[in-house]
Amino acid sequence: MIDTHCHIDLHDRPLDAISKFTSRQMECVSVTMLPSHYKLSLPHLEAYDNIHASLGLHPLRAREGKRELAQFIQLAKAAEYIGEIGLDFSRDGKSTRALQEEMFAEVLPSLKGGKFVSVHSRESAKKLLEMLSEARVAPVCFHYFTGAPSLAQEVIQAGHYMSFNLRMLTGRHKSLLSQVPAERVLIESDAPFLTESPHLAVANAYSTVAKHWGITLPEAEGLISRNFLRCRTARDITC
Ligand SMILES: [Zn+2]
């Protein structure tokens, strides 16, 4: 099983979270908020093949992030996993909307080249999709998507994926799973925001989607693993 969006570095006991993933043979994309956080996490994670350090520049940290933008672009050359990046136009993020858009535009060229990219799109999915399409960046994974069903269709038509957490599968957004083809579904914990036990939340989410699709758990694991391998941005043919 694979957790495609987990903030390991924000856990009270990051090493505990890692050992629980490792003992259960689970993989995890360890997203970060800032390039400096990513850099700090690298020496801790390099011993684990199943934990993927992911280079982030979170939209709600845009003011600090601006000072680290050059570092992001430099580190992105070697990073295979990018996130958490994106836009946030909710009440929490709207004061930096212009800055977020400006920074995301600068980040876009760094996303190509076979990378796994996890994006935050709270109240901003329309604009985010537009910017990705203009820059011809696809596919990426929309994490915790909460937009309208029509927008979900646009995301899927543009070739992107969506990562579902347990709250999305059981709460008011649960109808979304029926609107997304199984071959575009990934699973995330969004820990520690949604849960203190990402390994349990992810296992539970896998069982929930398997049941929804009417397949066995091993079949769901195989399907989602193949999705994870396919969800890599296209390599630029011109370079
Ligand atoms: Zn997150």
Side-chain angles (χ1 to χ4, degrees):
M1 294 185 195
I2 305 143
D3 182 348
T4 60
H5 191 106
C6 178
H7 296 262
I8 286 190
D9 63 347
L10 300 182
H11 280 71
D12 288 338
R13 293 186 188 82
L15 292 175
D16 269 12
I18 292 174
S19 74
K20 281 174 179 143
F21 281 126
T22 306
S23 64
R24 288 163 177 81
Q25 295 178 311
M26 293 167 90
E27 280 181 66
C28 169
V29 177
S30 177
V31 294
T32 52
M33 296 290 204
L34 289 169
S36 51
H37 299 180
Y38 166 77
K39 244 182 132 174
L40 275 173
S41 79
L42 283 177
H44 299 283
L45 300 183
E46 67 184 1
Y48 303 94
D49 288 344
N50 59 321
I51 312 287
H52 310 297
S54 179
L55 171 64
L57 191 63
H58 198 285
L60 293 178
R61 306 289 288 268
R63 286 197 184 94
E64 296 156 89
K66 189 173 167 52
R67 295 194 291 270
E68 298 190 21
L69 185 58
Q71 196 181 3
F72 180 98
I73 290 166
Q74 186 57 33
L75 289 166
K77 290 177 189 164
E80 289 175 60
Y81 295 84
I82 306 269
E84 177 167 7
I85 58 166
L87 300 171
D88 189 315
F89 299 162
S90 74
R91 216 170 44 187
D92 297 335
K94 68 178 180 198
S95 68
T96 57
R97 179 177 172 150
L99 177 61
Q100 289 176 39
E101 286 183 31
E102 185 191 303
M103 284 167 60
F104 194 68
E106 293 208 41
V107 155
L108 278 165
S110 308
L111 305 182
K112 295 182 182 181
K115 299 177 192 300
F116 177 81
V117 181
S118 181
V119 298
H120 174 108
S121 61
R122 186 154 56 139
E123 294 181 37
S124 60
K126 182 103 193 151
K127 181 67 186 176
L128 191 69
L129 189 58
E130 226 176 80
M131 291 180 79
L132 288 165
S133 300
E134 268 172 35
R136 295 175 184 274
V137 172
V140 303
C141 178
F142 279 67
H143 124 81
Y144 204 165
F145 178 86
T146 54
S150 59
L151 201 47
Q153 287 320 306
E154 284 183 48
V155 169
I156 297 306
Q157 273 160 21
H160 301 298
Y161 291 67
M162 285 192 189
S163 54
F164 287 75
N165 56 59
L166 206 51
R167 189 177 292 177
M168 293 165 77
L169 294 169
T170 52
R172 65 192 168 99
H173 298 291
K174 69 177 179 192
S175 62
L176 182 64
L177 185 62
S178 313
Q179 296 154 25
V180 176
E183 54 279 0
R184 299 294 182 82
V185 170
L186 294 166
I187 297 294
E188 63 169 45
S189 64
D190 202 12
F193 299 109
L194 298 187
T195 173
E196 296 279 310
S197 307
H199 59 292
L200 296 178
V202 162
N204 209 337
Y206 265 79
S207 304
T208 307
V209 296
K211 205 166 155 194
H212 176 87
W213 292 329
I215 60 178
T216 65
L217 186 56
E219 283 168 343
E221 287 182 47
L223 194 155
I224 294 167
S225 288
R226 291 190 293 278
N227 295 350
F228 182 60
L229 288 175
R230 269 198 324 273
C231 183
R232 296 285 190 281
T233 53
R235 292 180 186 277
D236 221 333
I237 306 152
T238 52
C239 65

